[in-house]
Amino acid sequence: MAQLNMVQAINQALAQEMARDDRVLLLGEDVGRDGGVFRVTEGLLERFGRERVLDTPLCESGIMGAAIGMAAYGLRPVPEIQFLGFTYSAFEQLFAHAARLRSRSRGRYSCPLVVRTPYGGGIKAPELHEESTEALFCQVPGLKVVVPSGPYLAKGLLLAALRDPDPVLFLEPTRLYRLLREEVPEGEYLVELGKARVARPGNSLTVVAWGSMLERVLKAVEGYDAEVLDLMTLNPFDSEAIVTSVRKTGRLVIVHEAAKTCGFGAEIAATVAEEAILHLRAPILRVTAPDVPVPLAKLIDHYLPGLQQIRSALDEVLQY
Amino acid sequence: MPEVLLADFQIKRLEVLNEKGETDPELLPELSDAEMWRLYELMLLSRIFDERAVALQREGRIGTYPPIRGQEAAQVGSAFALTSKDWLFPSFREMGAHLTLGYPIPQLLQYWGGDERSQKVPPGLNIFPFCVAVGSQIPQAAGAALAARYRRDPVAVVTYFGDGATSKGDFHEAMNLAGVFSLPLVFICQNNQWAISIPLKGQTASASLAQKAIAYGFPGVQVDGNDVFAVYRATREAVEKARSGAGPTFIECLTYRMADHTTADDAGRYRSGEEVTFWAARDPILRLERFLEGRGLWTPQKREEAAAQAAATVDAGVAQMEAAPPPAAAELFDEVLATLTPRQAGQRKVR
Ligand SMILES: Cc1ncc(C[n+]2csc(CCOP(=O)(O)OP(=O)(O)O)c2C)c(N)n1
């Protein structure tokens, strides 16, 4: 089996799905000739031609709006927004239209598109290139939000997203693009959306993370009997898996790289409070970025949760 | 070094039928007497539907409603050039276009009555739901046009919007996409000269909206929007061009909103009575009547008959709208996703 990084795994998923289904088209800034700024779509223009891989003008709202019209017409567009921080100008299209089209046409039109966008911090890029505002998108009913944490999952989740009948925001943790290599089967496999996975079994506490934080959490829990859950899909999220694990361990730490206030950790904590409060043996802790804008490179390590912070939270709930 | 003239542009206005009902025979579109009469009937139906909708709102039988009075020629004339295979991305003030394409009246009223179920467009029509977020439907139309071209479907995609929408980024992004990809797309701007209380000159410093197309590399034309023949002629040319793969067109229909912005608005606060009187004399329906009368196709008696028929059609639509039972709470959930999430399913059960 080939050892692939996340860029290669995503590229393979796109190529396989485009070969299988001629409704799948890519569009976005620099996705064609340049193969995308992270080379995720490299080679696809040569293979599938200009009708299937569209280099668009620089217009995030136009790209998103056009993808909605294409999806309603019966295609399966995959718009790429170059960085999550630039989806904000396409917010209206995504929130007010893509996520609502099925509902506001009472099922006459659906919007099966997959928005791909690099996400998260730690790559020494300019401002708005390291955002992790996933929770904003999770507030929108009708939009699925998926975050892979490694190459194998990236391929399987992306294939599942590409076959999903509804709009999916597929957040690709930029820091992981080339950080990890894993065995990725050449053939087709789907990782079901809406399900979490136990990344590491354990008994004394539960840690929930996703995306690039997973790699860090797995390092931090070395030497602890911790169960690590990789959420993979944030909306809809697998509350059952979390509650089941917390019932077993009695302790919960949530780690995310987004700011704390109204971050997705709040939703998880509230869900556990609703469904498993009597199983808790310690308060739920969140390890997150502070409530400040994502900084430039020199401060990013102070922004992202570090190993030490995660370990102090683990100790705190264990010693409570 | 001399300065070089890079380009030199002209922008034209198309007028076919004047206020006296006279036409330019060279420009008059080839329409049979029956088709001309049909245009008249549809404009009258739109007017009567509109008056009725405003009355229903006043009586508390539907919610806020945006009247189309004065814009009947722009809407009926343009939609008359479409077929049911073409795709339409409307804003929220094109009920005349819907009526022209045979959209069911009860459903139009149900929408303004706040019933979600109205939004399911009947099969056989490719019309997008009403779009209340100004201008956001325009790039979506560009996407449908891309898809139509990819599928090699000889259809035109048409999007309607107001003068206010031309100030939005989405308008410019979609115009640019249409030009760059030479899309089978027709932009129909109903320049009714007001965006709520902001007049056209508060919206743009351009001498016309039509000229904006020049910057995107495709033709733009202004038509007299109260002249149904000019609107029809321009739209027909544009949709035929689109269907044949020759690219986009921008049509500015210069018209006037005679009514308030919506039933919640009082246009008397921001515009003069003289202005409204001026435009009332240029009423698109009167103008067509004068023309049809000159051709021996119109009499006051025939108007009465056509109006009575339209009123009966609208009455039947009102009755049907009001006979619909209220939606069940489960409707909240039914079309949010293809399959409800576990959380949604749980919430649905307890509603
Ligand atoms: C994005 C957005 N901003 C503001 C509004 C509130 N609003 C509704 S209609 C309107 C004016 C629209 O003017 P125009 O585009 O000329 O269309 P018209 O109403 O004249 O048909 C405004 C400001 C809105 N619906 N959407």
Side-chain angles (χ1 to χ4, degrees), chain B residues 16-69:
Chain B
V16 178
L17 171 67
N18 71 12
E19 276 125 52
K20 295 189 195 128
E22 301 157 348
T23 55
D24 179 336
E26 294 281 295
L27 294 176
L28 188 65
E30 279 177 33
L31 289 166
S32 66
D33 285 355
E35 285 170 319
M36 289 180 178
W37 182 257
R38 184 73 192 133
L39 281 172
Y40 177 68
E41 278 181 334
L42 286 165
M43 286 166 66
L44 207 54
L45 175 67
S46 303
R47 175 72 54 96
I48 287 166
F49 169 89
D50 198 54
E51 286 169 349
R52 197 62 205 282
V54 171
L56 288 171
Q57 190 280 332
R58 299 284 183 245
E59 294 160 17
R61 291 158 73 184
I62 63 171
T64 304
Y65 170 83
I68 61 174
R69 189 182 188 86

Short mmCIF file of all heavy atoms in Angstrom, two decimals, chain B residues 16-69:
data_model
loop_
_atom_site.label_atom_id
_atom_site.label_comp_id
_atom_site.label_asym_id
_atom_site.label_seq_id
_atom_site.Cartn_x
_atom_site.Cartn_y
_atom_site.Cartn_z
N VAL B 16 -39.59 50.88 -28.86
CA VAL B 16 -40.37 50.42 -30.00
C VAL B 16 -41.75 51.10 -30.02
O VAL B 16 -42.24 51.52 -31.06
CB VAL B 16 -40.54 48.88 -29.97
CG1 VAL B 16 -41.40 48.40 -31.13
CG2 VAL B 16 -39.17 48.20 -30.00
N LEU B 17 -42.32 51.19 -28.83
CA LEU B 17 -43.71 51.66 -28.70
C LEU B 17 -43.72 52.92 -27.85
O LEU B 17 -43.26 52.89 -26.71
CB LEU B 17 -44.51 50.54 -27.99
CG LEU B 17 -45.92 50.79 -27.52
CD1 LEU B 17 -46.85 50.99 -28.73
CD2 LEU B 17 -46.40 49.60 -26.70
N ASN B 18 -44.23 54.01 -28.40
CA ASN B 18 -44.20 55.23 -27.59
C ASN B 18 -45.50 55.41 -26.78
O ASN B 18 -46.40 54.57 -26.84
CB ASN B 18 -43.87 56.47 -28.45
CG ASN B 18 -45.03 56.85 -29.37
OD1 ASN B 18 -46.16 56.35 -29.24
ND2 ASN B 18 -44.74 57.75 -30.31
N GLU B 19 -45.54 56.53 -26.04
CA GLU B 19 -46.68 56.70 -25.14
C GLU B 19 -48.01 56.87 -25.85
O GLU B 19 -49.06 56.61 -25.30
CB GLU B 19 -46.44 57.92 -24.24
CG GLU B 19 -45.61 57.58 -23.04
CD GLU B 19 -44.39 58.47 -22.95
OE1 GLU B 19 -44.57 59.71 -23.00
OE2 GLU B 19 -43.29 57.91 -22.87
N LYS B 20 -47.92 57.30 -27.10
CA LYS B 20 -49.19 57.46 -27.85
C LYS B 20 -49.65 56.14 -28.46
O LYS B 20 -50.68 56.08 -29.11
CB LYS B 20 -48.97 58.47 -28.98
CG LYS B 20 -48.67 59.87 -28.47
CD LYS B 20 -48.69 60.87 -29.62
CE LYS B 20 -48.03 62.18 -29.23
NZ LYS B 20 -46.99 62.58 -30.20
N GLY B 21 -48.85 55.13 -28.28
CA GLY B 21 -49.24 53.83 -28.87
C GLY B 21 -48.71 53.65 -30.28
O GLY B 21 -49.10 52.72 -30.98
N GLU B 22 -47.81 54.55 -30.70
CA GLU B 22 -47.22 54.42 -32.04
C GLU B 22 -45.96 53.56 -31.95
O GLU B 22 -45.24 53.60 -30.95
CB GLU B 22 -46.83 55.79 -32.58
CG GLU B 22 -47.98 56.74 -32.69
CD GLU B 22 -47.52 58.21 -32.68
OE1 GLU B 22 -46.34 58.51 -32.38
OE2 GLU B 22 -48.38 59.06 -32.96
N THR B 23 -45.69 52.82 -33.04
CA THR B 23 -44.49 51.98 -33.03
C THR B 23 -43.60 52.28 -34.21
O THR B 23 -44.01 52.83 -35.21
CB THR B 23 -44.84 50.48 -33.12
OG1 THR B 23 -45.65 50.29 -34.28
CG2 THR B 23 -45.56 49.99 -31.89
N ASP B 24 -42.37 51.85 -34.04
CA ASP B 24 -41.42 51.86 -35.15
C ASP B 24 -41.58 50.51 -35.87
O ASP B 24 -41.23 49.48 -35.30
CB ASP B 24 -40.01 52.01 -34.56
CG ASP B 24 -38.93 52.01 -35.63
OD1 ASP B 24 -39.19 51.48 -36.73
OD2 ASP B 24 -37.85 52.54 -35.34
N PRO B 25 -42.12 50.50 -37.06
CA PRO B 25 -42.43 49.23 -37.73
C PRO B 25 -41.19 48.37 -37.98
O PRO B 25 -41.26 47.15 -37.98
CB PRO B 25 -43.09 49.65 -39.05
CG PRO B 25 -42.91 51.10 -39.19
CD PRO B 25 -42.48 51.68 -37.89
N GLU B 26 -40.05 49.04 -38.12
CA GLU B 26 -38.80 48.29 -38.30
C GLU B 26 -38.46 47.43 -37.08
O GLU B 26 -37.85 46.39 -37.18
CB GLU B 26 -37.63 49.28 -38.48
CG GLU B 26 -37.69 50.10 -39.73
CD GLU B 26 -37.22 49.28 -40.92
OE1 GLU B 26 -36.04 48.90 -40.93
OE2 GLU B 26 -38.06 49.01 -41.81
N LEU B 27 -38.82 47.97 -35.92
CA LEU B 27 -38.40 47.33 -34.67
C LEU B 27 -39.48 46.46 -34.04
O LEU B 27 -39.19 45.67 -33.14
CB LEU B 27 -37.97 48.40 -33.66
CG LEU B 27 -36.72 49.20 -34.02
CD1 LEU B 27 -36.46 50.29 -32.99
CD2 LEU B 27 -35.50 48.28 -34.11
N LEU B 28 -40.72 46.63 -34.50
CA LEU B 28 -41.82 45.88 -33.88
C LEU B 28 -41.54 44.38 -34.04
O LEU B 28 -41.34 43.89 -35.14
CB LEU B 28 -43.15 46.25 -34.56
CG LEU B 28 -44.41 45.69 -33.90
CD1 LEU B 28 -44.61 46.25 -32.51
CD2 LEU B 28 -45.63 45.94 -34.78
N PRO B 29 -41.50 43.63 -32.92
CA PRO B 29 -41.21 42.20 -33.06
C PRO B 29 -42.31 41.47 -33.81
O PRO B 29 -43.46 41.91 -33.82
CB PRO B 29 -41.11 41.71 -31.61
CG PRO B 29 -41.61 42.78 -30.75
CD PRO B 29 -41.70 44.05 -31.52
N GLU B 30 -41.92 40.38 -34.44
CA GLU B 30 -42.92 39.59 -35.19
C GLU B 30 -43.77 38.82 -34.21
O GLU B 30 -43.40 37.75 -33.74
CB GLU B 30 -42.20 38.64 -36.14
CG GLU B 30 -41.76 39.31 -37.40
CD GLU B 30 -40.99 38.36 -38.31
OE1 GLU B 30 -41.30 37.16 -38.32
OE2 GLU B 30 -40.06 38.85 -38.99
N LEU B 31 -44.92 39.37 -33.92
CA LEU B 31 -45.85 38.71 -33.01
C LEU B 31 -47.21 38.71 -33.69
O LEU B 31 -47.59 39.70 -34.34
CB LEU B 31 -45.97 39.50 -31.69
CG LEU B 31 -44.77 39.47 -30.74
CD1 LEU B 31 -44.89 40.56 -29.68
CD2 LEU B 31 -44.64 38.11 -30.07
N SER B 32 -47.93 37.60 -33.56
CA SER B 32 -49.27 37.56 -34.14
C SER B 32 -50.21 38.42 -33.30
O SER B 32 -49.89 38.77 -32.16
CB SER B 32 -49.78 36.11 -34.17
OG SER B 32 -49.96 35.67 -32.83
N ASP B 33 -51.38 38.74 -33.86
CA ASP B 33 -52.37 39.48 -33.09
C ASP B 33 -52.69 38.74 -31.80
O ASP B 33 -52.84 39.34 -30.73
CB ASP B 33 -53.67 39.65 -33.91
CG ASP B 33 -53.50 40.71 -35.00
OD1 ASP B 33 -52.43 41.37 -35.03
OD2 ASP B 33 -54.43 40.87 -35.81
N ALA B 34 -52.79 37.42 -31.90
CA ALA B 34 -53.12 36.62 -30.70
C ALA B 34 -52.02 36.75 -29.64
O ALA B 34 -52.31 36.85 -28.45
CB ALA B 34 -53.32 35.16 -31.09
N GLU B 35 -50.79 36.76 -30.08
CA GLU B 35 -49.69 36.88 -29.11
C GLU B 35 -49.68 38.28 -28.47
O GLU B 35 -49.41 38.42 -27.27
CB GLU B 35 -48.35 36.61 -29.80
CG GLU B 35 -48.13 35.13 -30.09
CD GLU B 35 -46.91 34.89 -30.98
OE1 GLU B 35 -46.71 35.66 -31.95
OE2 GLU B 35 -46.19 33.92 -30.72
N MET B 36 -49.96 39.29 -29.29
CA MET B 36 -50.01 40.64 -28.72
C MET B 36 -51.14 40.75 -27.69
O MET B 36 -50.99 41.36 -26.63
CB MET B 36 -50.22 41.68 -29.82
CG MET B 36 -48.98 41.84 -30.69
SD MET B 36 -49.28 43.05 -31.97
CE MET B 36 -47.68 43.08 -32.78
N TRP B 37 -52.24 40.14 -28.02
CA TRP B 37 -53.36 40.17 -27.07
C TRP B 37 -52.99 39.40 -25.81
O TRP B 37 -53.32 39.80 -24.70
CB TRP B 37 -54.64 39.58 -27.71
CG TRP B 37 -55.78 39.64 -26.76
CD1 TRP B 37 -56.30 38.60 -26.04
CD2 TRP B 37 -56.51 40.81 -26.36
NE1 TRP B 37 -57.32 39.05 -25.21
CE2 TRP B 37 -57.46 40.39 -25.40
CE3 TRP B 37 -56.45 42.16 -26.73
CZ2 TRP B 37 -58.35 41.29 -24.80
CZ3 TRP B 37 -57.34 43.04 -26.11
CH2 TRP B 37 -58.28 42.60 -25.16
N ARG B 38 -52.26 38.29 -25.98
CA ARG B 38 -51.83 37.50 -24.82
C ARG B 38 -50.91 38.33 -23.91
O ARG B 38 -51.03 38.28 -22.68
CB ARG B 38 -51.10 36.24 -25.32
CG ARG B 38 -50.67 35.30 -24.24
CD ARG B 38 -51.84 34.54 -23.64
NE ARG B 38 -51.45 33.85 -22.40
CZ ARG B 38 -52.14 33.87 -21.28
NH1 ARG B 38 -53.28 34.52 -21.18
NH2 ARG B 38 -51.71 33.22 -20.22
N LEU B 39 -50.02 39.10 -24.51
CA LEU B 39 -49.17 39.98 -23.71
C LEU B 39 -50.03 40.92 -22.88
O LEU B 39 -49.77 41.15 -21.69
CB LEU B 39 -48.24 40.81 -24.62
CG LEU B 39 -47.00 40.13 -25.18
CD1 LEU B 39 -46.32 41.04 -26.20
CD2 LEU B 39 -46.01 39.79 -24.05
N TYR B 40 -51.06 41.45 -23.53
CA TYR B 40 -51.95 42.37 -22.83
C TYR B 40 -52.66 41.67 -21.68
O TYR B 40 -52.71 42.19 -20.55
CB TYR B 40 -52.96 42.94 -23.84
CG TYR B 40 -53.97 43.85 -23.20
CD1 TYR B 40 -53.60 45.08 -22.67
CD2 TYR B 40 -55.31 43.46 -23.10
CE1 TYR B 40 -54.53 45.91 -22.06
CE2 TYR B 40 -56.25 44.28 -22.50
CZ TYR B 40 -55.85 45.50 -21.98
OH TYR B 40 -56.77 46.32 -21.37
N GLU B 41 -53.19 40.47 -21.97
CA GLU B 41 -53.89 39.73 -20.91
C GLU B 41 -52.98 39.45 -19.72
O GLU B 41 -53.40 39.54 -18.57
CB GLU B 41 -54.38 38.38 -21.46
CG GLU B 41 -55.65 38.45 -22.23
CD GLU B 41 -56.09 37.07 -22.72
OE1 GLU B 41 -55.22 36.18 -22.91
OE2 GLU B 41 -57.29 36.89 -22.92
N LEU B 42 -51.74 39.08 -20.02
CA LEU B 42 -50.80 38.76 -18.92
C LEU B 42 -50.44 40.00 -18.11
O LEU B 42 -50.30 39.93 -16.89
CB LEU B 42 -49.53 38.11 -19.49
CG LEU B 42 -49.70 36.66 -19.96
CD1 LEU B 42 -48.52 36.23 -20.83
CD2 LEU B 42 -49.86 35.72 -18.76
N MET B 43 -50.32 41.13 -18.78
CA MET B 43 -50.03 42.36 -18.03
C MET B 43 -51.22 42.75 -17.16
O MET B 43 -51.07 43.19 -16.02
CB MET B 43 -49.65 43.49 -18.99
CG MET B 43 -48.24 43.30 -19.57
SD MET B 43 -47.86 44.34 -20.99
CE MET B 43 -47.88 45.97 -20.28
N LEU B 44 -52.40 42.57 -17.72
CA LEU B 44 -53.60 42.87 -16.95
C LEU B 44 -53.73 41.91 -15.76
O LEU B 44 -54.06 42.33 -14.64
CB LEU B 44 -54.82 42.73 -17.88
CG LEU B 44 -56.06 43.54 -17.58
CD1 LEU B 44 -55.75 45.02 -17.46
CD2 LEU B 44 -57.10 43.33 -18.69
N LEU B 45 -53.45 40.64 -16.01
CA LEU B 45 -53.50 39.65 -14.92
C LEU B 45 -52.50 40.03 -13.82
O LEU B 45 -52.82 39.97 -12.63
CB LEU B 45 -53.18 38.25 -15.48
CG LEU B 45 -53.08 37.12 -14.43
CD1 LEU B 45 -54.45 36.86 -13.79
CD2 LEU B 45 -52.54 35.82 -15.06
N SER B 46 -51.32 40.45 -14.24
CA SER B 46 -50.30 40.84 -13.26
C SER B 46 -50.78 42.03 -12.43
O SER B 46 -50.61 42.07 -11.21
CB SER B 46 -48.99 41.24 -13.96
OG SER B 46 -48.53 40.18 -14.76
N ARG B 47 -51.40 43.00 -13.09
CA ARG B 47 -51.90 44.19 -12.39
C ARG B 47 -52.99 43.81 -11.39
O ARG B 47 -52.99 44.26 -10.24
CB ARG B 47 -52.43 45.18 -13.44
CG ARG B 47 -53.11 46.44 -12.92
CD ARG B 47 -52.15 47.44 -12.29
NE ARG B 47 -51.03 47.85 -13.10
CZ ARG B 47 -50.97 48.94 -13.85
NH1 ARG B 47 -52.01 49.75 -13.93
NH2 ARG B 47 -49.86 49.23 -14.53
N ILE B 48 -53.89 42.95 -11.85
CA ILE B 48 -55.02 42.60 -10.99
C ILE B 48 -54.57 41.71 -9.84
O ILE B 48 -55.00 41.88 -8.68
CB ILE B 48 -56.15 41.98 -11.85
CG1 ILE B 48 -56.79 43.11 -12.67
CG2 ILE B 48 -57.18 41.24 -11.00
CD1 ILE B 48 -57.67 42.66 -13.81
N PHE B 49 -53.66 40.80 -10.14
CA PHE B 49 -53.08 39.97 -9.09
C PHE B 49 -52.44 40.86 -8.02
O PHE B 49 -52.63 40.69 -6.81
CB PHE B 49 -52.01 39.03 -9.69
CG PHE B 49 -51.18 38.32 -8.65
CD1 PHE B 49 -51.58 37.09 -8.15
CD2 PHE B 49 -50.00 38.89 -8.17
CE1 PHE B 49 -50.83 36.44 -7.17
CE2 PHE B 49 -49.25 38.25 -7.19
CZ PHE B 49 -49.66 37.03 -6.69
N ASP B 50 -51.69 41.84 -8.49
CA ASP B 50 -50.95 42.74 -7.61
C ASP B 50 -51.90 43.55 -6.72
O ASP B 50 -51.70 43.67 -5.51
CB ASP B 50 -50.11 43.67 -8.50
CG ASP B 50 -48.98 44.34 -7.75
OD1 ASP B 50 -48.19 43.61 -7.13
OD2 ASP B 50 -48.89 45.58 -7.80
N GLU B 51 -52.94 44.10 -7.35
CA GLU B 51 -53.91 44.89 -6.56
C GLU B 51 -54.55 44.02 -5.50
O GLU B 51 -54.77 44.42 -4.36
CB GLU B 51 -54.97 45.48 -7.50
CG GLU B 51 -54.43 46.64 -8.34
CD GLU B 51 -55.37 47.06 -9.47
OE1 GLU B 51 -56.36 46.34 -9.75
OE2 GLU B 51 -55.09 48.13 -10.08
N ARG B 52 -54.83 42.80 -5.91
CA ARG B 52 -55.48 41.88 -4.99
C ARG B 52 -54.55 41.51 -3.83
O ARG B 52 -54.97 41.45 -2.67
CB ARG B 52 -55.89 40.62 -5.77
CG ARG B 52 -56.90 39.75 -5.10
CD ARG B 52 -58.20 40.52 -4.91
NE ARG B 52 -58.95 39.97 -3.79
CZ ARG B 52 -59.66 38.85 -3.83
NH1 ARG B 52 -59.76 38.18 -4.95
NH2 ARG B 52 -60.28 38.41 -2.76
N ALA B 53 -53.28 41.30 -4.16
CA ALA B 53 -52.31 40.92 -3.11
C ALA B 53 -52.16 42.06 -2.10
O ALA B 53 -52.12 41.82 -0.89
CB ALA B 53 -50.97 40.57 -3.74
N VAL B 54 -52.11 43.30 -2.59
CA VAL B 54 -52.01 44.44 -1.67
C VAL B 54 -53.25 44.47 -0.77
O VAL B 54 -53.15 44.65 0.45
CB VAL B 54 -51.84 45.76 -2.46
CG1 VAL B 54 -51.95 46.96 -1.53
CG2 VAL B 54 -50.50 45.76 -3.20
N ALA B 55 -54.42 44.26 -1.37
CA ALA B 55 -55.66 44.27 -0.58
C ALA B 55 -55.64 43.15 0.46
O ALA B 55 -56.02 43.35 1.61
CB ALA B 55 -56.87 44.13 -1.50
N LEU B 56 -55.17 41.98 0.06
CA LEU B 56 -55.12 40.85 1.01
C LEU B 56 -54.20 41.17 2.18
O LEU B 56 -54.48 40.82 3.32
CB LEU B 56 -54.61 39.58 0.31
CG LEU B 56 -55.57 38.91 -0.68
CD1 LEU B 56 -54.83 37.80 -1.46
CD2 LEU B 56 -56.79 38.32 0.03
N GLN B 57 -53.11 41.86 1.89
CA GLN B 57 -52.21 42.24 2.97
C GLN B 57 -52.92 43.22 3.91
O GLN B 57 -52.87 43.08 5.12
CB GLN B 57 -50.92 42.84 2.41
CG GLN B 57 -49.84 43.05 3.45
CD GLN B 57 -50.05 44.31 4.29
OE1 GLN B 57 -50.65 45.29 3.83
NE2 GLN B 57 -49.58 44.27 5.53
N ARG B 58 -53.61 44.19 3.32
CA ARG B 58 -54.31 45.19 4.16
C ARG B 58 -55.35 44.53 5.04
O ARG B 58 -55.63 44.98 6.15
CB ARG B 58 -55.01 46.23 3.27
CG ARG B 58 -54.06 47.04 2.38
CD ARG B 58 -53.30 48.10 3.16
NE ARG B 58 -52.46 48.91 2.28
CZ ARG B 58 -51.13 48.92 2.34
NH1 ARG B 58 -50.47 48.18 3.22
NH2 ARG B 58 -50.43 49.68 1.50
N GLU B 59 -55.93 43.45 4.53
CA GLU B 59 -56.95 42.74 5.31
C GLU B 59 -56.33 41.73 6.27
O GLU B 59 -57.05 40.97 6.92
CB GLU B 59 -57.92 42.01 4.37
CG GLU B 59 -58.76 42.95 3.51
CD GLU B 59 -59.34 42.25 2.26
OE1 GLU B 59 -59.35 41.00 2.22
OE2 GLU B 59 -59.74 42.97 1.34
N GLY B 60 -55.00 41.66 6.30
CA GLY B 60 -54.34 40.72 7.20
C GLY B 60 -54.40 39.28 6.73
O GLY B 60 -54.19 38.36 7.51
N ARG B 61 -54.68 39.09 5.44
CA ARG B 61 -54.83 37.70 4.96
C ARG B 61 -53.52 37.15 4.39
O ARG B 61 -53.39 35.95 4.23
CB ARG B 61 -55.97 37.62 3.94
CG ARG B 61 -57.32 37.85 4.62
CD ARG B 61 -58.38 38.31 3.64
NE ARG B 61 -58.83 37.26 2.75
CZ ARG B 61 -59.70 37.46 1.76
NH1 ARG B 61 -60.21 38.69 1.56
NH2 ARG B 61 -60.07 36.48 0.99
N ILE B 62 -52.58 38.01 4.04
CA ILE B 62 -51.21 37.58 3.74
C ILE B 62 -50.26 38.55 4.44
O ILE B 62 -50.71 39.55 5.01
CB ILE B 62 -50.88 37.52 2.21
CG1 ILE B 62 -50.96 38.90 1.56
CG2 ILE B 62 -51.77 36.51 1.49
CD1 ILE B 62 -50.44 38.95 0.11
N GLY B 63 -48.96 38.26 4.38
CA GLY B 63 -47.97 39.11 5.06
C GLY B 63 -47.50 40.24 4.16
O GLY B 63 -48.14 40.59 3.17
N THR B 64 -46.35 40.79 4.50
CA THR B 64 -45.77 41.89 3.73
C THR B 64 -45.60 41.46 2.27
O THR B 64 -45.17 40.33 1.99
CB THR B 64 -44.38 42.24 4.30
OG1 THR B 64 -44.56 42.54 5.68
CG2 THR B 64 -43.78 43.44 3.59
N TYR B 65 -45.92 42.38 1.37
CA TYR B 65 -45.92 42.03 -0.06
C TYR B 65 -45.27 43.17 -0.85
O TYR B 65 -45.53 44.34 -0.59
CB TYR B 65 -47.38 41.81 -0.52
CG TYR B 65 -47.52 41.68 -2.01
CD1 TYR B 65 -47.29 40.45 -2.63
CD2 TYR B 65 -47.84 42.78 -2.81
CE1 TYR B 65 -47.39 40.32 -4.01
CE2 TYR B 65 -47.93 42.66 -4.18
CZ TYR B 65 -47.70 41.43 -4.77
OH TYR B 65 -47.78 41.31 -6.13
N PRO B 66 -44.41 42.87 -1.82
CA PRO B 66 -43.76 43.91 -2.63
C PRO B 66 -44.48 44.12 -3.96
O PRO B 66 -44.38 43.27 -4.86
CB PRO B 66 -42.37 43.32 -2.88
CG PRO B 66 -42.59 41.82 -2.88
CD PRO B 66 -43.82 41.54 -2.09
N PRO B 67 -45.20 45.21 -4.13
CA PRO B 67 -46.00 45.39 -5.34
C PRO B 67 -45.16 45.56 -6.61
O PRO B 67 -44.02 46.04 -6.54
CB PRO B 67 -46.78 46.68 -5.07
CG PRO B 67 -46.58 47.00 -3.65
CD PRO B 67 -45.33 46.35 -3.21
N ILE B 68 -45.74 45.19 -7.74
CA ILE B 68 -45.04 45.28 -9.01
C ILE B 68 -45.66 46.34 -9.93
O ILE B 68 -45.25 46.47 -11.08
CB ILE B 68 -45.04 43.92 -9.75
CG1 ILE B 68 -46.47 43.46 -10.06
CG2 ILE B 68 -44.33 42.86 -8.92
CD1 ILE B 68 -46.52 42.20 -10.91
N ARG B 69 -46.61 47.07 -9.42
CA ARG B 69 -47.35 48.03 -10.25
C ARG B 69 -46.39 48.94 -11.04
O ARG B 69 -45.51 49.57 -10.45
CB ARG B 69 -48.25 48.89 -9.36
CG ARG B 69 -49.21 49.77 -10.13
CD ARG B 69 -50.03 50.63 -9.17
NE ARG B 69 -51.07 51.32 -9.92
CZ ARG B 69 -52.24 50.80 -10.20
NH1 ARG B 69 -52.55 49.58 -9.79
NH2 ARG B 69 -53.13 51.49 -10.91
#
